[in-house]
Amino acid sequence: MGVIYHLNPLTTLPTAINNDPTFVHLYWSSQPSAYGPTWVAISSLLQWLTLPFGRQSLLPMVLALRFSGLLAHVCSTLLIWSITGQLQQRFGLVSARKRIVATLAFAWNPLLLFEACVNAHNDAVLLLLILLAIWFLLPGTHKLRGNILATLMLVLATCLKLNVALLLPFFLIFIWKQENQENALLRTPFVRTLSMALLYAGSIILLYAPFWQNG
């Protein structure tokens, strides 16, 4: 909608493009996009890349979405491998077999494969962003940069689906506990945690701002 028709998908009803070949396949035709700026950016990029193949055929965009889902799933699998390895080392429970089993259980999960590579559902990208947030939090030093990058990944995930905001309290509690363990000053954990909360809220506002039209 944004690339071809230059319309805001977060405020424009799909009925505005009822002559488009995709319209007949839309389930929610009476409301704007249920997804946020992150998915708008990703889908717009894919749409732009497939424009040379024409506007009337849906096949190029479908294939692009499926490939992006597959790519997201592969990247998530690599993150699972990395995360399980770091957790094993951190808790002193190193087991190559368990690490392989955990990774393959994720990689070969038929539901995940079907949703990512056949349905091309954006939950594959959502899961990747959440795993990235976890991955950035894992290094033992828990430096400020890791917290910032993890927060930004959570921001992108929230701006794909707003229900990810439910993870924010647990995310902030984790940062608070880590800062408590690593800093003797009482105020430091509070300041760091509050800073991440403000970064989270401010970044979401900035990402939604270009799409905000008359409230």
Side-chain angles (χ1 to χ4, degrees):
M1 183 180 285
V3 174
I4 297 176
Y5 299 100
H6 306 292
L7 297 173
N8 184 350
L10 300 189
T11 59
T12 306
L13 295 178
T15 50
I17 58 167
N18 56 13
N19 292 324
D20 190 271
T22 61
F23 182 77
V24 295
H25 301 284
L26 296 178
Y27 183 78
W28 290 295
S29 59
S30 59
Q31 68 177 52
S33 174
Y35 307 117
T38 301
W39 186 245
V40 170
I42 293 172
S43 58
S44 295
L45 174 62
L46 294 177
Q47 183 72 75
W48 179 76
L49 291 174
T50 57
L51 272 181
F53 299 98
R55 299 182 180 182
Q56 296 305 312
S57 175
L58 300 181
L59 182 60
M61 187 60 177
V62 170
L63 292 177
L65 287 168
R66 288 180 174 177
F67 178 77
S68 65
L70 173 61
L71 181 62
H73 183 70
V74 171
C75 291
S76 294
T77 300
L78 294 175
L79 285 171
I80 292 292
W81 174 260
S82 178
I83 290 170
T84 52
Q86 291 187 57
L87 288 176
Q88 284 187 351
Q89 291 181 358
R90 184 174 182 183
F91 294 104
L93 301 172
V94 178
S95 171
R97 181 180 178 277
K98 290 182 178 180
R99 188 181 182 188
I100 292 172
V101 168
T103 304
L104 291 181
F106 178 90
W108 291 349
N109 185 303
L111 178 60
L112 292 176
L113 287 170
F114 186 81
E115 286 297 311
C117 308
V118 179
N119 283 346
H121 207 285
N122 57 19
D123 281 341
V125 178
L126 182 69
L127 182 57
L128 172 61
L129 293 172
I130 293 174
L131 286 172
L132 276 170
I134 295 172
W135 187 76
F136 281 123
L137 286 176
L138 278 182
T141 53
H142 292 281
K143 297 297 184 181
L144 180 60
R145 185 178 68 174
N147 289 342
I148 291 175
L149 291 173
T151 302
L152 293 177
M153 292 302 105
L154 198 65
V155 165
L156 291 176
T158 306
C159 287
L160 198 159
K161 283 189 173 181
L162 286 175
N163 55 8
V164 176
L166 295 173
L167 298 177
L168 180 62
F170 305 100
F171 175 80
L172 295 177
I173 290 171
F174 181 85
I175 292 178
W176 173 276
K177 292 187 68 175
Q178 294 302 319
E179 292 294 334
N180 264 328
Q181 293 175 5
E182 297 173 12
N183 292 282
L185 295 176
L186 183 61
R187 294 178 58 186
T188 302
F190 174 77
V191 172
R192 288 280 179 88
T193 306
L194 179 61
S195 299
M196 294 306 106
L198 293 175
L199 175 63
Y200 175 83
S203 299
I204 290 176
I205 292 172
L206 287 176
L207 286 175
Y208 267 96
F211 300 93
W212 196 265
Q213 295 179 350
N214 301 321

